[in-house]
Amino acid sequence: DNEVLWIGTYGNGLVRINNNQTYASQINLPDEIFHINNIVQDANGYIWLGTSKHGILKSTDSELTPETTFEFWKHADKDESYHLQKDMNGFIWIGSEHGTIQKLSPITQELTTISLPDSITNPAQDFNIKHLYMNSRNRLWVATTKGIGIYDENSNEWLRLIEENSYLRISYQG
């Protein structure tokens, strides 16, 4: 919905601001949720929250009000940090602090795991996903502690891998 701005706060839950109204609605979250990494709304209207060290939460109702509650999503570890990104087809991409990337269909709830290149997932190294970004070409940019990767779902390939301590070439056309 382009008329709503969602704001994840530090310690005060979730705030919803409607562009056509002069007030904001606060939606309380469980007490232990302090840091929200990402907020996405799925095709059915449910709100998903990627948190820092508290898993993923999903609204219990697609009609959000100040009384709306959130529950921990059963497929996420409650002690892990997650980053979420929605693509132009409505799929939700999930990146975890342990380097896992999954694609969720909000309609079927089917999860697909995306394999990361071996060069950035060396198990002897500390590795986690810091941010996800979906560009206008529906390519997933993945920022990690070991570099940046660009994944093209159409070809099921990693197009570019910018490893830690290397230089980014501005000429990339991706």
Side-chain angles (χ1 to χ4, degrees):
D1 186 350
N2 290 333
E3 297 296 316
V4 175
L5 173 65
W6 292 96
I7 301 172
T9 67
Y10 186 81
N12 290 318
L14 185 64
V15 175
R16 175 185 173 164
I17 300 173
N18 285 11
N19 289 340
N20 58 359
Q21 297 175 345
T22 58
Y23 64 91
S25 302
Q26 182 173 351
I27 298 172
N28 291 319
L29 299 174
D31 289 340
E32 66 270 21
I33 306 300
F34 286 105
H35 188 134
I36 298 172
N37 293 330
N38 306 96
I39 305 167
V40 296
Q41 185 172 25
D42 71 20
N44 297 317
Y46 291 92
I47 298 296
W48 295 73
L49 307 175
T51 71
S52 182
K53 300 292 184 191
H54 289 95
I56 296 173
L57 287 93
K58 180 182 174 186
S59 62
T60 56
D61 192 354
S62 61
E63 294 297 321
L64 295 173
T65 69
E67 291 78 37
T68 295
T69 58
F70 285 78
E71 62 186 10
F72 289 99
W73 186 50
K74 63 183 177 182
H75 297 290
D77 182 346
K78 288 184 184 179
D79 297 324
E80 191 162 336
S81 295
Y82 290 91
H83 295 274
L84 308 176
Q85 180 68 47
K86 186 169 79 171
D87 70 19
M88 62 182 61
N89 298 314
F91 289 93
I92 297 174
W93 293 79
I94 302 166
S96 77
E97 71 178 292
H98 293 339
T100 304
I101 295 179
Q102 294 179 302
K103 183 177 92 169
L104 171 69
S105 168
I107 305 299
T108 66
Q109 298 297 301
E110 179 183 352
L111 273 174
T112 305
T113 300
I114 307 303
S115 297
L116 289 147
D118 291 338
S119 61
I120 63 170
T121 59
N122 180 344
Q125 299 177 354
D126 181 28
F127 169 78
N128 63 55
I129 293 172
K130 293 296 193 180
H131 194 72
L132 299 176
Y133 172 75
M134 186 66 66
N135 73 9
S136 61
R137 294 182 184 183
N138 219 32
R139 292 178 175 163
L140 184 68
W141 289 62
V142 181
T144 76
T145 52
K146 295 298 171 191
I148 297 173
I150 304 168
Y151 177 74
D152 184 352
E153 182 183 20
N154 293 332
S155 65
N156 195 29
E157 291 182 337
W158 288 91
L159 302 177
R160 174 75 91 165
L161 198 58
I162 304 157
E163 295 183 23
E164 182 181 40
N165 299 324
S166 63
Y167 295 99
L168 174 62
R169 293 195 178 122
I170 303 302
S171 63
Y172 176 66
Q173 300 296 312

